[in-house]
């Protein structure tokens, strides 16, 4: 039962840690293929996490043990390895610095969507999440559309004022392409000097209120 | 005068069963845990305390070899028993005792219960498990009714019941679990060989049917085949051996349980320390029979010497009589009063120990240390004044006696002199008197500490690079001031430690360790003329001894006790809230604890000729409600139930 809640458990742990950075990087190596890297960096909060991980529950929520977090990463990696079009899956967990990464190569944007949806579903089996279109690629551009599990995250933090706890938590996305970018729809997004990458950073409390803040339509030249 | 016999009869009638139950506890039990369920029930009001006792319930413990038997059915539902003991016909006004016993090859935990209604208790035993009848053994004998099981057994005799939860270990259950399951015995091998030699045997028939090309391989292969009746007979023998092993196990358990239902000739009540606890009407207590614990080969701390002794190599008994270790025991008792929980610890010993303790505890806290503690911002402290040098003498003699007293194999004989030789070379003055055993550890508010952490920077092309950044982290300001016994040695050690490259020289007499990315704290050490000071706040050590005095009450406690501890919960919780949960509006669990919890204090008592102890109190702000109820309320809110 606890395993089936691991998505929420990990979320709880991250939320209580207060200060953390999530970085999502999608780097296209050609028009279709590329690599995906997700980094969760809680090293700012490691003194808090050291204490929290010794507890079973905190503020009424069960907290995962380190082996559960590692196990879940390993399970997500297994699911990704079994997803067609996904290769070179690697994950890393550092419980001294509280740094966690998972990375893989994908053959197409469809494979990337399939892999991410499968990984999220495996980590939240009981919640029965539906697949969602996270990214969309077409000849003229690239789109970041939805966040998997956004409704579930919203539900789990509903009624809880986490703005104080999470004021220093950020989510950054970086998308790198082999083509030059003409424009981006999200006014907060920045285009790199060489015109081939887009970065978007938001404070987590803002994202928890509105996941569409990450929506971005990128047009190529 | 006529009322006197009636009074005696009344006293006997009201206390008789409790006395009888404790009479059944063998004097050599390694520990006894006692719960007064009626008091706990009354004091907890509508709150459920039983879930916090789950780990103590029959059958709930699972360690190593015990694990496999957890799948077995039990006669009792332990959680239900603890939750509603009176519905099981248990006399909750008497203590429920739990103790550990080990006789020959059977060891386990015993739950000793007084019954108010034996029929009801018997009717609540499970007879069906997983949809099937529990088909273990039931025996009705003159000494009582016994329900025997591989894991949990129950015995009832009049108003007394015991639940015995057998411990499983490789060494004790070797015969039952391993040999009996082996399947093929030597008779099977002999019969098979004889069968192979018969001219019309299956072996010869198959070997000589003309189809074999590799004769040697064929011999090996066909030798394994034999008349099925041989295997059948072997199986029958194995089954019979297994049944006999199981029966023997049940016979041993039955014998043990029969003896446990009787008043023991050497029972625990003869121990004056246990008897005093038992008569103390505590809500709960635990009595640790240290001497028995150490003399039990399966439980003593040096048990590995015995466990590895299954090779049956002869061991030589020392023949030495225990001197310091004789009769030592310790106990904890807890009583929940209105607005206060009181925990008492008592360590009991014999007259040979007292001279050591008298010297070790015959010192007072060093007044000079007090000036290093910030009285104005004090959140909590732990003060200790015990002569390390004198206490070391006791532990040296104590451990030598323990090691001397244990039976040894030939190869263990040199262990003690080797240890003594190594110890003789140690510089005792350096080891025990550099810091002389007087120290105060205190938390004096919160401080901002610069901490390093990993973050990322991005170049113009948004390539990510890991960088190390710093931020201020709020941490409790911890200070430890320790009195110096030998300053020359202290200076020598301080100078040596300061040479390690992890330390930075802050001042002539201050060294500092700055936590890196992997170690989230700073540590500063200062050597003054009269103390060694350690703190995570540089200001404490750079400019020590300029603080407001400690509150008078704390000064008194520190100077009049060898051990004194206090936590100002209100201030501590407020500090934690401000440091870690600033900006968080809704934390009902935290508010619940802050609203209820008062100060936590502990002080020791001076060592007397036969005991040394300490008393801790947890105060609750509401003096009209029982402490157990309030503590359970706090735990409930923290658990989020």
């Amino acid at each position: 039962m606890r395993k089936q809640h691991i998505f929420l458990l990990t979320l709880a742990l991250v939320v209580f840690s207060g200060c953390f950075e999530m970085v999502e990087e999608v780097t296209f190596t050609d028009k279709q293929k590329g690599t995906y890297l997700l980094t969760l960096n809680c090293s700012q909060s490691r003194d808090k996490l050291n204490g929290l991980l010794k507890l079973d529950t905190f503020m009424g929520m069960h907290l995962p043990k380190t082996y559960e977090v590692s196990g879940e990463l390993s399970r997500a990696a297994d699911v990704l390895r079994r997803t067609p079009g996904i290769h070179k899956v690697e994950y890393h967990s550092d419980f001294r610095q509280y740094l966690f990464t998972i990375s893989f190569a994908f053959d197409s944007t469809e494979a990337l969507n399939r892999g991410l949806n499968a990984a999220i579903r495996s980590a939240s089996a009981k919640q029965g999440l539906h697949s969602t279109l996270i990214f969309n690629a077409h000849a003229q551009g690239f789109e970041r559309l939805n966040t998997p599990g956004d409704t579930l995250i919203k539900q789990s933090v509903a009624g809880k004022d986490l703005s104080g706890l999470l004021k220093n938590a950020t989510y950054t996305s970086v998308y790198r392409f082999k083509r030059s970018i003409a424009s981006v729809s999200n006014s907060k997004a920045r285009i790199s000097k060489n015109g081939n990458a887009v970065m978007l950073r938001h404070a987590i409390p803002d994202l928890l209120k509105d996941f569409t803040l990450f929506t971005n339509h990128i047009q190529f030249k | 005068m006529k009322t006197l016999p009636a009074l005696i009869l009344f006293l006997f009638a009201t206390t008789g069963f409790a006395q009888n139950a404790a009479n059944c506890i063998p004097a050599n039990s390694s520990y006894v845990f006692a719960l007064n369920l009626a008091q706990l029930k009354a004091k907890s009001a509508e709150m459920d305390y039983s879930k916090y006792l789950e780990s103590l319930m029959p059958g709930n413990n699972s360690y190593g070899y015990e694990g496999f038997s957890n799948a077995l059915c039990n006669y009792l539902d332990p959680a239900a028993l603890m939750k509603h003991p009176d519905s099981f016909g248990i006399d909750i006004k008497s203590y429920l005792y739990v103790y550990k016993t080990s006789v020959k090859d059977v060891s386990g935990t015993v739950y000793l219960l007084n019954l108010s209604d034996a029929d009801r208790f018997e009717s609540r035993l499970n007879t069906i498990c997983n949809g099937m009848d529990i088909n273990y053994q039931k025996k009705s004998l003159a000494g009582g009714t016994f329900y025997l099981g591989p894991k949990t057994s129950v015995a009832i005799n009049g108003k007394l019941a015991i639940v015995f939860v057998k411990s499983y270990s490789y060494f004790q259950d070797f015969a039952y679990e391993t040999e009996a399951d082996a399947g093929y015995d030597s008779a099977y091998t002999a019969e098979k060989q004889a069968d192979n030699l018969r001219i019309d045997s299956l072996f010869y028939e198959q070997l000589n049917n003309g189809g074999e090309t590799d004769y040697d391989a064929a011999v090996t292969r066909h030798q394994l085949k034999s008349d099925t009746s041989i295997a059948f007979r072997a199986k029958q023998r194995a089954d019979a051996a297994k049944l006999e092993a199981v029966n023997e196990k049940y016979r041993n358990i039955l014998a043990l349980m029969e003896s446990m239902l009787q008043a023991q000739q050497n029972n625990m009540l003869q121990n004056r320390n246990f008897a005093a606890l038992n008569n103390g009407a505590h809500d709960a207590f635990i009595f640790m029979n240290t001497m028995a614990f150490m003399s039990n080969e399966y439980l003593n701390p040096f048990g590995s010497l015995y466990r590895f002794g299954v090779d049956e190599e002869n061991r030589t008994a020392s023949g030495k009589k225990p001197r310091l270790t004789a009769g030592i025991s310790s106990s904890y008792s807890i009583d929940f009063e209105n607005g206060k929980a009181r925990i008492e610890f008592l360590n009991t010993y014999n007259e040979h120990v007292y001279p050591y303790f008298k010297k070790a505890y015959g010192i007072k806290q060093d007044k000079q240390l007090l000036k290093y503690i910030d009285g104005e911002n004090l959140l909590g402290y732990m003060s200790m004044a015990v002569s390390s040098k004198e206490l070391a003498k006791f532990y040296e003699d104590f451990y030598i006696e323990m090691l001397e007293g244990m039976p040894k194999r030939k190869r263990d004989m040199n262990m003690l002199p080797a240890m003594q030789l190594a110890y003789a070379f140690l510089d005792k003055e350096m080891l025990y008197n550099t810091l002389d055993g007087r120290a105060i550890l205190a938390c004096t508010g919160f401080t901002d500490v610069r901490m390093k952490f990993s973050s990322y920077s991005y170049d113009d092309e948004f390539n990510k690079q890991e960088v190390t950044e710093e931020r201020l982290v709020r941490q409790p300001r911890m200070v430890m001031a320790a009195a110096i016994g030998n300053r020359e040695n202290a200076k020598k050690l301080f100078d040596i430690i300061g040479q390690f490259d992890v330390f930075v020289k802050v001042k002539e007499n201050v060294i500092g360790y700055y936590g890196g990315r992997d170690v989230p704290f700073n540590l500063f050490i200062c050597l003054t003329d009269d103390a060694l000071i350690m703190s995570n706040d540089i200001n404490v050590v750079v400019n020590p001894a300029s603080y407001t005095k400690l509150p008078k009450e704390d000064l008194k406690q520190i100077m009049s006790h060898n051990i004194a501890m206090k936590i100002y919960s209100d201030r501590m919780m407020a500090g934690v809230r401000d440091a870690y949960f600033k900006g968080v509006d809704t934390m009902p669990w935290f508010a619940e604890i802050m609203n209820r919890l008062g100060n936590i204090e502990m002080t020791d008592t001076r060592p007397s000729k036969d005991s040394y102890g300490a008393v801790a109190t947890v105060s609750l702000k509401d003096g009209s409600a029982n402490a157990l109820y309030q503590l359970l309320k706090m735990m409930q809110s923290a658990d989020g139930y």
Side-chain angles (χ1 to χ4, degrees):
Chain A
M1 179 161 171
R2 176 174 275 204
K3 276 201 163 181
Q4 289 177 326
H5 282 106
I6 199 74
F7 181 67
L8 290 179
L9 295 179
T10 311
L11 178 74
L13 189 71
V14 168
V15 163
F16 294 133
S17 73
C19 303
F20 63 90
E21 268 182 288
M22 273 189 104
V23 184
E24 177 189 67
E25 294 167 82
V26 180
T27 307
F28 281 89
T29 49
D30 62 21
K31 280 189 178 178
Q32 290 198 324
K33 293 179 182 174
T35 57
Y36 179 90
L37 169 64
L38 183 69
T39 306
L40 173 62
N41 179 351
C42 301
S43 78
Q44 284 193 64
S45 310
R46 64 189 190 279
D47 46 344
K48 265 190 205 175
L49 283 166
N50 277 334
L52 281 170
L53 281 167
K54 292 182 178 76
L55 303 175
D56 278 337
T57 56
F58 187 72
M59 286 176 77
M61 291 175 88
H62 282 286
L63 297 176
K65 300 285 173 208
T66 53
Y67 68 85
E68 287 178 293
V69 176
S70 300
E72 229 24 63
L73 266 174
S74 151
R75 206 148 73 108
D78 279 349
V79 169
L80 283 165
R81 283 186 193 111
R82 288 199 300 271
T83 307
I86 300 290
H87 321 276
K88 295 181 185 169
V89 181
E90 286 177 10
Y91 68 95
H92 175 71
S93 50
D94 173 355
F95 283 100
R96 283 206 302 180
Q97 281 285 315
Y98 291 100
L99 281 171
F100 309 94
T101 60
I102 189 156
S103 66
F104 56 86
F106 55 85
D107 287 345
S108 64
T109 310
E110 290 75 36
L112 172 63
N113 278 327
R114 265 201 308 272
L116 290 176
N117 275 304
I120 294 281
R121 271 204 309 275
S122 82
S124 53
K126 205 177 180 187
Q127 281 71 37
L129 290 179
H130 298 292
S131 290
T132 182
L133 191 65
I134 307 164
F135 300 106
N136 184 35
H138 49 85
Q140 292 79 35
F142 179 81
E143 293 163 334
R144 168 71 150 87
L145 298 171
N146 301 303
T147 303
D150 51 355
T151 318
L152 183 65
I153 297 169
K154 270 187 181 173
Q155 279 170 0
S156 60
V157 298
K160 292 184 172 84
D161 180 9
L162 301 170
S163 53
L165 266 178
L166 297 173
K167 65 179 177 187
N168 293 321
T170 59
Y171 195 109
T172 306
S173 68
V174 179
Y175 305 134
R176 304 183 189 94
F177 306 96
K178 287 287 174 191
R179 302 166 69 181
S180 293
I181 297 158
S183 65
V184 289
S185 66
N186 194 314
S187 59
K188 298 268 181 192
R190 287 163 51 209
I191 300 173
S192 67
K193 220 171 186 178
N194 65 2
N196 287 352
V198 177
M199 182 195 275
L200 185 55
R201 177 176 283 177
H202 275 293
I204 295 279
D206 297 339
L207 271 180
L208 290 176
K209 283 179 203 149
D210 182 7
F211 278 96
T212 60
L213 288 175
F214 252 123
T215 306
N216 200 3
H217 299 269
I218 300 161
Q219 288 292 321
F220 299 133
K221 280 180 183 167
Chain B
M1 287 297 285
K2 274 183 184 175
T3 53
L4 187 62
L7 188 65
I8 292 169
L9 195 66
F10 171 74
L11 284 172
F12 182 76
T14 51
T15 60
F17 281 129
Q19 289 293 325
N20 283 344
N23 270 334
C24 297
I25 304 172
N28 62 356
S29 303
S30 51
Y31 71 81
V32 182
F33 179 59
L35 282 172
N36 188 321
L37 297 172
Q39 287 192 47
L40 292 176
K41 187 183 172 189
K43 291 175 177 181
S44 57
E46 82 273 6
M47 302 298 293
D48 176 19
Y49 65 86
S50 64
K51 66 182 172 191
Y52 300 105
L53 296 172
E54 274 177 13
S55 61
L56 300 163
M57 293 175 189
N60 273 22
N61 294 316
S62 170
Y63 304 106
Y65 284 93
E66 290 188 12
F68 75 92
S69 53
N70 272 357
L72 297 169
C73 293
N74 288 326
Y75 287 109
L76 269 175
D77 174 8
L81 173 78
M82 211 55 100
K83 200 164 252 182
H84 304 291
D86 31 5
S87 76
F88 277 77
I90 290 170
D91 174 15
I92 61 169
K93 291 191 187 91
S94 307
Y95 276 126
L96 180 156
Y97 296 102
V98 184
Y99 64 93
K100 193 99 181 170
T101 189
S102 181
V103 177
K104 290 181 185 172
D105 281 345
V106 184
S107 66
T109 308
V110 183
Y111 299 77
L112 183 58
L113 313 160
N114 283 290
L115 302 176
S116 56
D117 186 340
D119 291 338
R120 196 195 300 181
F121 179 75
E122 196 166 356
S123 72
R124 291 296 303 268
L125 298 181
N126 297 325
T127 49
I128 292 176
C129 170
N130 299 331
M132 293 165 68
D133 284 346
I134 293 182
N135 194 21
Y136 302 138
Q137 291 193 7
K138 181 187 172 186
K139 292 198 184 291
S140 295
L141 305 169
T145 308
F146 299 86
Y147 292 85
L148 305 174
K151 173 84 174 168
T152 306
S153 301
V154 178
I156 306 161
N157 186 19
K159 296 281 186 187
L160 208 59
I162 52 173
V163 180
F164 175 67
V165 182
K166 188 183 178 307
S167 293
Y168 278 83
S169 75
Y170 175 81
F171 297 100
Q172 286 183 323
D173 298 283
F174 183 76
Y176 308 134
E177 313 304 339
T178 311
E179 285 184 348
D181 288 339
Y184 297 116
D185 52 11
S186 56
Y188 168 79
T189 313
E191 273 193 52
K192 195 160 68 66
Q193 277 175 354
D195 181 62
N196 286 344
L197 291 173
R198 277 183 20 240
I199 199 83
D200 57 345
S201 72
L202 192 64
F203 171 69
Y204 273 121
E205 260 183 44
Q206 296 202 349
L207 191 65
N208 299 311
N209 66 1
E212 300 293 345
T213 50
D214 185 342
Y215 189 78
D216 289 341
V219 168
T220 310
R221 195 166 67 248
H222 291 305
Q223 258 178 348
L224 296 171
K225 297 173 183 171
S226 62
D227 189 337
T228 51
S229 64
I230 296 173
F232 178 73
R233 282 196 297 276
K235 178 80 169 52
Q236 273 189 321
R237 283 194 300 275
D239 286 346
K242 195 172 177 179
L243 184 65
E244 175 50 26
V246 170
N247 284 335
E248 192 194 340
K249 176 158 70 177
Y250 283 142
R251 275 198 297 275
N252 287 339
I253 293 174
L254 178 63
L256 181 66
M257 292 189 76
E258 275 185 306
S259 71
M260 286 188 299
L261 268 178
Q262 307 299 319
Q264 305 292 309
Q265 196 176 0
N266 293 316
N267 65 61
M268 197 54 93
L269 279 175
Q270 291 157 359
N271 183 314
R272 65 184 166 86
N273 301 317
F274 176 83
L277 263 181
N278 200 49
N279 291 330
H282 298 292
D283 293 343
F285 70 79
I286 183 160
F287 177 78
M288 307 293 295
N289 196 359
T290 320
M291 186 61 189
F293 185 80
M294 287 192 292
S295 54
N296 182 313
E297 65 177 288
Y298 290 103
L299 299 172
N300 81 61
F302 298 95
S304 57
L305 292 175
Y306 297 88
R307 286 172 196 166
F308 290 119
V310 286
D311 54 6
E312 295 301 322
E313 185 183 328
N314 286 337
R315 293 182 287 264
T316 311
S318 76
K320 285 209 169 194
K321 281 189 177 172
R323 187 170 166 273
L324 296 174
T325 50
I328 58 173
S329 64
S330 58
S331 65
Y332 296 86
S333 62
I334 186 159
D335 294 288
F336 299 99
E337 300 162 15
N338 278 359
K340 189 168 72 177
R342 185 184 149 91
I343 302 145
E344 197 171 339
F345 165 73
L346 197 67
N347 192 7
T348 42
Y349 43 75
N350 62 44
E351 70 276 13
H352 302 297
V353 174
Y354 177 59
Y356 291 94
F357 277 22
K358 193 181 172 189
K359 280 186 185 170
Y361 290 85
I363 59 171
K364 283 194 166 193
Q365 186 56 276
D366 182 0
K367 270 188 180 168
Q368 298 302 320
L369 298 181
L370 300 168
K371 64 176 182 260
Y372 299 114
I373 310 298
D374 178 0
E376 194 179 343
N377 296 303
L378 190 65
L379 301 183
Y381 65 84
M382 170 91 190
S383 163
M384 191 171 211
V386 185
S387 166
S388 309
K389 219 171 173 177
E390 296 300 331
L391 207 58
K393 283 181 192 166
F394 167 72
Y395 281 115
E396 181 183 347
D397 294 347
F398 182 82
Y399 285 113
I400 285 175
E401 182 179 307
M402 273 212 320
L403 288 166
E404 271 181 345
M406 284 193 301
K408 295 176 194 67
R409 292 164 297 181
K410 197 178 175 188
R411 60 174 176 267
D412 301 326
M413 292 298 180
N414 294 325
M415 190 175 70
L416 183 58
M419 287 170 73
Q420 283 179 302
L421 187 64
Y423 191 70
F425 279 109
L426 292 178
D427 181 348
K428 312 290 188 303
E429 178 67 15
M430 180 71 92
L431 198 60
Y432 300 120
N433 202 36
T434 303
L435 302 178
D436 66 10
R438 293 175 295 172
I440 302 173
L441 173 70
C443 178
T444 56
F446 287 78
T447 182
D448 289 327
V449 178
R450 286 201 169 279
M451 297 309 312
K452 291 180 178 136
F453 66 94
S454 297
S455 186
Y456 306 107
S457 72
Y458 300 87
D459 62 17
D460 291 344
E461 271 68 56
F462 298 157
N463 292 310
K464 190 177 74 177
Q465 269 135 23
E466 192 173 316
V467 291
T468 299
E469 291 185 11
E470 275 191 352
R471 77 181 187 107
L472 287 176
V473 176
R474 203 118 176 95
Q475 286 185 350
R477 184 190 292 118
M478 302 302 296
V479 186
M480 195 192 85
I484 292 168
N486 185 321
R487 196 173 189 286
E488 196 184 326
N489 282 344
K491 178 80 173 72
K492 192 173 169 184
L493 288 182
F494 182 81
D495 289 342
I496 293 170
I497 290 167
Q499 289 173 42
F500 282 100
D501 64 359
V502 292
F503 286 105
V504 175
K505 196 163 191 172
V506 180
K507 272 174 73 176
E508 187 53 37
N509 65 335
V510 178
I511 54 173
Y513 164 78
Y514 290 89
R517 286 193 338 170
D518 294 338
V519 185
F521 66 87
N522 299 334
L523 176 67
F524 301 95
I525 307 172
C526 172
L527 183 69
T528 68
D529 287 339
D530 51 17
L532 184 87
I533 306 152
M534 290 197 270
S535 177
N536 57 343
D537 184 355
I538 191 167
N539 299 313
V540 173
V541 289
V542 167
N543 188 21
S546 58
Y547 296 116
T548 314
K549 274 188 178 177
L550 267 70
K552 266 188 185 174
E553 181 62 24
D554 294 325
L555 278 176
K556 191 180 156 196
Q557 295 286 60
I558 289 171
M559 294 312 296
S560 57
H561 292 278
N562 291 98
I563 294 172
M565 187 272 281
K566 187 168 188 176
I567 296 169
Y568 287 96
S569 302
D570 246 0
R571 292 185 218 164
M572 184 74 86
M573 299 283 287
V576 168
R577 184 193 55 201
D578 294 343
Y580 302 114
F581 304 114
K582 217 170 189 175
V584 182
D585 297 334
T586 49
M587 280 204 307
W589 62 275
F590 201 87
E592 175 82 22
I593 296 172
M594 275 198 85
N595 287 339
R596 290 191 182 276
L597 191 62
N599 292 339
I600 301 169
E601 293 177 68
M602 188 186 82
T603 50
D604 68 341
T605 54
R606 287 259 165 210
S608 70
K609 284 192 174 168
D610 55 11
S611 66
Y612 169 70
V615 178
T617 52
V618 179
S619 303
L620 284 311
K621 286 177 186 165
D622 182 357
S624 62
N626 190 274
L628 178 59
Y629 172 79
Q630 296 192 60
L631 288 167
L632 289 169
K633 272 272 180 200
M634 282 193 286
M635 288 159 89
Q636 185 191 50
S637 64
D639 279 355
Y641 292 109

